[in-house]
Amino acid sequence: AQKVTQAQTEISVVEKEDVTLDCVYETRDTTYYLFWYKQPPSGELVFLIRRNSFDEQNEISGRYSWNFQKSTSSFNFTITASQVVDSAVYFCALSERASGGSYIPTFGRGTSLIVHP
Amino acid sequence: GAVVSQHPSRVICKSGTSVKIECRSLDFQATTMFWYRQFPKQSLMLMATSNEGSKATYEQGVEKDKFLINHASLTLSTLTVTSAHPEDSSFYICSARRGAGGTYEQYFGPGTRLTVT
């Protein structure tokens, strides 16, 4: 079973629309970390946010906002007033403690967002 | 933020040859480094985790003798694809982290696109 599920493979919107990217995770740990990364066509991963399991406070950063709900094991990402430059693949990731003690991240399959002008 | 470099960014090699990819943390000491592989339009698949001075821990299904990982210093890790074949063609991404804990930020390199002809 996947630990991180991004059910939306591809989303296509028109500029200025709001869009929400879903992320559902699965873990038995009480301490874990969730991330969102952006991968533009150039390929380099860009860090967007990290959340630890004890901090359910939602966060807003400019046009980006994140909704972390432990009750539903979800960590959704919303882009408000989308722009063409937002077009990229977005990855959600879960970092939990491995048997050796180190935290190992697992990535979802990614959601390709296409913003049309 | 911290910078991770990879060299080369692109490499084309003939089947049967070996290719070395370098990953460097430029402005911080990376206790832990990760190597990922990404096929077109797919997620990042963790290949191995390496801690400085220790042998790398490979994920299930990754051939240790084919993908040699060396993490000789706190700022350098190398991935050598030995006797490369066309099926090894992929986008290889390294990532570096200051520590093993989940609170540490994970910084990604720009990736290396390997094409084996």
Side-chain angles (χ1 to χ4, degrees):
Chain A
Q2 284 191 342
K3 290 194 172 185
V4 180
T5 302
Q6 294 181 256
Q8 304 146 310
T9 305
E10 184 175 297
I11 301 176
S12 185
V13 299
V14 177
E15 212 171 14
K16 297 184 183 178
E17 282 186 26
D18 298 347
V19 58
T20 296
L21 284 63
D22 298 332
C23 175
V24 175
Y25 62 93
E26 181 183 330
T27 181
R28 293 181 179 179
D29 288 357
T30 55
T31 302
Y32 53 89
Y33 300 84
L34 295 163
F35 302 80
W36 275 96
Y37 290 90
K38 174 182 180 179
Q39 187 178 39
S42 63
E44 185 165 359
L45 279 150
V46 178
F47 166 81
L48 296 178
I49 190 172
R50 177 182 64 236
R51 257 288 176 267
N52 73 57
S53 53
F54 300 107
D55 183 3
E56 279 194 79
Q57 196 170 22
N58 292 329
E59 182 159 337
I60 298 174
S61 176
R63 295 184 297 107
Y64 295 169
S65 63
W66 291 269
N67 184 352
F68 177 25
Q69 292 198 344
K70 288 177 74 171
S71 60
T72 55
S73 296
S74 65
F75 187 42
N76 297 338
F77 171 34
T78 298
I79 301 175
T80 304
S82 59
Q83 299 176 1
V84 173
V85 293
D86 295 328
S87 297
V89 179
Y90 291 85
F91 290 98
C92 179
L94 165 70
S95 190
E96 51 186 349
R97 199 180 183 104
S99 56
S102 182
Y103 278 79
I104 305 295
T106 303
F107 285 79
R109 292 182 183 273
T111 296
S112 177
L113 174 64
I114 302 169
V115 182
H116 299 280
Chain B
V3 178
V4 175
S5 71
Q6 267 184 255
H7 178 79
S9 56
R10 288 179 181 273
V11 58
I12 301 172
C13 70
K14 291 188 177 180
S15 189
T17 61
S18 294
V19 175
K20 180 185 281 189
I21 303 170
E22 289 188 351
C23 176
R24 293 182 185 272
S25 56
L26 298 184
D27 52 1
F28 69 100
Q29 293 185 325
T31 303
T32 306
M33 284 187 168
F34 304 89
W35 284 96
Y36 294 86
R37 183 175 181 176
Q38 186 180 32
F39 290 105
K41 298 194 176 185
Q42 293 196 22
S43 185
L44 281 74
M45 300 302 297
L46 180 65
M47 298 175 67
T49 303
S50 72
N51 292 302
E52 186 264 339
S54 305
K55 288 185 178 180
T57 300
Y58 289 80
E59 294 299 300
Q60 196 171 10
V62 178
E63 299 176 58
K64 300 178 184 182
D65 295 332
K66 181 161 190 64
F67 299 100
L68 300 178
I69 291 172
N70 185 288
H71 190 168
S73 77
L74 284 171
T75 58
L76 173 64
S77 177
T78 59
L79 166 67
T80 302
V81 183
T82 62
S83 187
H85 291 286
E87 57 266 29
D88 298 325
S89 298
S90 190
F91 191 52
Y92 292 88
I93 305 172
C94 78
S95 174
R97 194 169 68 186
R98 284 188 176 89
T103 56
Y104 291 100
E105 185 55 67
Q106 189 169 340
Y107 302 97
F108 286 84
T112 296
R113 193 163 300 282
L114 170 64
T115 303
V116 185
T117 60

